Amino acid sequence: MLLSIALIIVVGMAMGAICQKIKLPSLIGMLATGIVLGPYCLNLLDQNILNISADLRKIALIIILTRAGFGLDLSGLKRNGRPALMMCFVPASFEVLGILLLAPKMMGLTLLEAAILGSVLAAVSPAVVVPRMVRLMDEGYGTKQGIPQLILAGASVDDVYVIVLFSTFTGMMAGTGTSVLSFVNIPVSIILGIAAGFLISFLLAKFFEKVHMRDTIKVFLILSVSFFLVAGEDALKTPLTYSALIAVMFIGIGLQRYRGVVARRLSVKYGKLWVGAEVFLFVLVGATVNIGYLSHVGIKALILIVLALVFRMLGVFICVLGTKLGKQERLFAMLAYCPKATVQAAIGGVPLAMGFACGDTVLTVAVLAIVLTAPLGAFAIDLTYKKFLAKEE
C-alpha cells in the first residue's frame, strides 16, 4: 500500500502540475493518473487502497466543504435573498429533469436509472468553484452584488440537495423503498444540518476560547467532529435525519462568526490539507473508471452532458430573474455554475459498487462530465470574471 500511496502522490501531483503548465485544471492530470495506474490499465495500485477509496473521497469532500464554510460571507449572501435560496435547488432540479427526459431514449436507461444518473451529474463542483469564488472575494470582484457569495453558498447546498436525492433514488433501486417522508427529509435534513453545524461551532468557539492549543490540533479536532457527524448520519435508520455535509460546512461558517480570527487561520490550514486531499480524490476516482466502457457510451454521453448543462443554465437564469444583476453578471453566474468534479468523484462509483446494472454507465458518464465541464468551467470563470464583474475598491 505504501508504494501505491507514493505513486498516487508523486505521479498525481506531477501530472497536475503539467496540466497547469498548459492551462488545464490540475484535476484532469490527476484523473488521468488514476486511469493509467488503475486496475483497467497498468494495475499498479494496491487493492487495499482501492477498497477504502470511498472513505478517502468522503474525507476530501469534508475538507473542501469546511474550507468553503470558512470563506463564506453571509452578509453578502443575505443581500441576494430569494435568488440565493433558489440557487440551492432549482438549477440541479432542472438538470435532473433534463436527464430524466433525455437519458431513457439516448442511453437506454429506465426512469429510475436516469434519476440516479441525474442525481450524480446535477451537483456543481466545490473543487472547481470554491477556490475560484474565494479568490474573487479576496480580489473584490462581484462582491458588492454578492455574486461570489451567491454561487459559493448555492453550490454548497446544491451538493447536499443532490446527495440526498441520490440516496433516495439508490434506496429505491436497492429495494428499500421510499415514502413521502423521504422527500420531506430533504428540507428537514438541511435545516437540522445547519442547526447542528451552528451549535457545534458555538461549542467549539467557547472551547477554543477557554483552552489554548495549536491551530493544527484544532484542525484535527474539527476533522474528528466532522467524521463523527458523517458516521452518525450513516448510522441513523430513522426516516428523518440531518445532513452531515451541511453541518460540516456550517461549522466553518459558525466559527467564522463566533471566532473570526481563529477561523481565518484555520482556513489557511484547511487550504493546505486540500492540496493532498485533492490528489487522492481525483486519482482514486480515475482508478475506478473502466476505460473499455468509454467506447460503449460514446458520443451519446457527451451530447447528454451538454444538453443537461443547457437545462442547468436555464435553471440559473430563472433564479436570477428579477434581480439587479446585469446581463454579463447573469451570464457569469450561469457559466460558473456548470463545472462538475468533486461530488461526481465522490458518488459516481457508488451505483457500480452496489451492483446496479446502470453502474458502469453512471460512472463513465460522471467521469466524462468531469473531464468536459471541469476545464471548460474553470476556463470560463478565469477568463470572464474581470470582464463581467465589477471590482469593489
Side-chain angles (χ1 to χ4, degrees):
M1 186 184 288
L2 292 178
L3 176 60
S4 296
I5 292 173
L7 286 171
I8 289 171
I9 295 173
V10 174
V11 181
M13 295 186 77
M15 289 293 291
I18 291 171
C19 284
Q20 284 186 319
K21 286 289 185 182
I22 58 175
K23 306 302 181 182
L24 287 174
S26 59
L27 61 89
I28 299 299
M30 297 170 193
L31 273 174
T33 299
I35 293 172
V36 173
L37 297 180
Y40 299 105
C41 198
L42 297 181
N43 195 23
L44 295 178
L45 298 181
D46 192 303
Q47 186 60 43
N48 290 324
I49 200 164
L50 295 177
N51 291 339
I52 62 170
S53 66
D55 291 323
L56 294 175
R57 295 197 301 266
K58 186 166 285 189
I59 290 171
L61 194 59
I62 287 169
I63 289 171
I64 193 61
L65 284 176
T66 311
R67 171 71 180 86
F70 284 133
L72 185 59
D73 178 12
L74 287 181
S75 61
L77 182 62
K78 289 176 184 176
R79 288 197 291 268
N80 287 284
R82 174 193 59 83
L85 178 63
M86 293 179 68
M87 288 283 277
C88 295
F89 64 90
V90 172
S93 298
F94 267 67
E95 189 166 3
V96 172
L97 175 62
I99 292 172
L100 279 172
L101 294 174
L102 299 169
K105 292 182 179 179
M106 295 180 65
M107 308 297 295
L109 302 178
T110 66
L111 274 178
L112 186 52
E113 289 172 339
I116 291 173
L117 176 61
S119 62
V120 170
L121 292 186
V124 70
S125 169
V128 177
V129 172
V130 169
R132 283 167 171 79
M133 293 305 109
V134 171
R135 186 179 72 200
L136 263 62
M137 290 189 290
D138 290 341
E139 295 181 10
Y141 282 96
T143 51
K144 186 176 181 180
Q145 296 82 7
I147 296 171
Q149 298 93 319
L150 170 70
I151 294 169
L152 183 58
S156 301
V157 181
D158 164 287
D159 289 348
V160 176
Y161 168 65
V162 167
I163 289 169
V164 173
L165 286 181
F166 175 77
S167 300
T168 301
F169 295 141
T170 52
M172 294 169 66
M173 177 68 81
T176 58
T178 188
S179 64
V180 174
L181 281 178
S182 298
F183 293 96
V184 171
N185 187 47
I186 294 174
V188 170
S189 66
I190 291 173
I191 293 169
L192 290 178
I194 292 171
F198 270 129
L199 175 61
I200 292 170
S201 67
F202 176 77
L203 295 175
L204 285 172
K206 291 298 181 183
F207 179 73
F208 293 155
E209 186 178 348
K210 300 291 184 182
V211 180
H212 296 284
M213 61 183 70
R214 295 178 59 183
D215 288 340
T216 302
I217 298 176
K218 292 174 184 175
V219 167
F220 282 114
L221 179 60
I222 295 170
L223 277 176
S224 299
V225 171
S226 301
F227 297 161
F228 277 125
L229 284 169
V230 173
E233 183 188 20
D234 292 340
L236 279 178
K237 305 300 180 184
T238 55
L240 298 179
T241 182
Y242 65 93
S243 170
L245 295 180
I246 280 284
V248 165
M249 186 181 72
F250 272 83
I251 288 175
I253 294 173
L255 281 173
Q256 181 193 155
R257 178 178 178 181
Y258 301 125
R259 295 284 288 175
V261 175
V262 173
R264 285 190 289 274
R265 295 202 309 265
L266 295 182
S267 178
V268 175
K269 295 282 187 182
Y270 266 88
K272 293 176 180 178
L273 271 180
W274 175 242
V275 173
E278 181 183 36
V279 177
F280 277 91
L281 174 63
F282 291 109
V283 171
L284 288 174
V285 77
T288 62
V289 177
N290 185 347
I291 55 175
Y293 200 73
L294 289 173
S295 60
H296 179 71
V297 296
I299 193 69
K300 291 181 180 179
L302 292 175
I303 295 172
L304 176 66
I305 292 166
V306 171
L307 293 177
L309 286 177
V310 173
F311 276 85
R312 183 177 192 84
M313 294 175 77
L314 177 61
V316 176
F317 178 76
I318 290 173
C319 291
V320 296
L321 279 178
T323 66
K324 296 180 180 179
L325 300 182
K327 291 181 180 179
Q328 290 185 329
E329 292 166 334
R330 294 181 186 184
L331 178 57
F332 177 82
M334 293 164 68
L335 293 172
Y337 227 54
C338 288
K340 303 178 185 302
T342 320
V343 176
Q344 289 71 29
I347 66 176
V350 173
L352 180 61
M354 295 178 74
F356 295 164
C358 63
D360 269 322
T361 300
V362 172
L363 176 59
T364 307
V365 176
V367 172
L368 283 174
I370 295 172
V371 173
L372 178 66
T373 64
L376 291 180
F379 282 140
I381 295 171
D382 293 344
L383 295 176
T384 62
Y385 78 93
K386 290 184 178 180
K387 298 177 183 177
F388 289 177
L389 304 180
K391 184 174 183 179
E392 186 175 12
E393 298 299 333

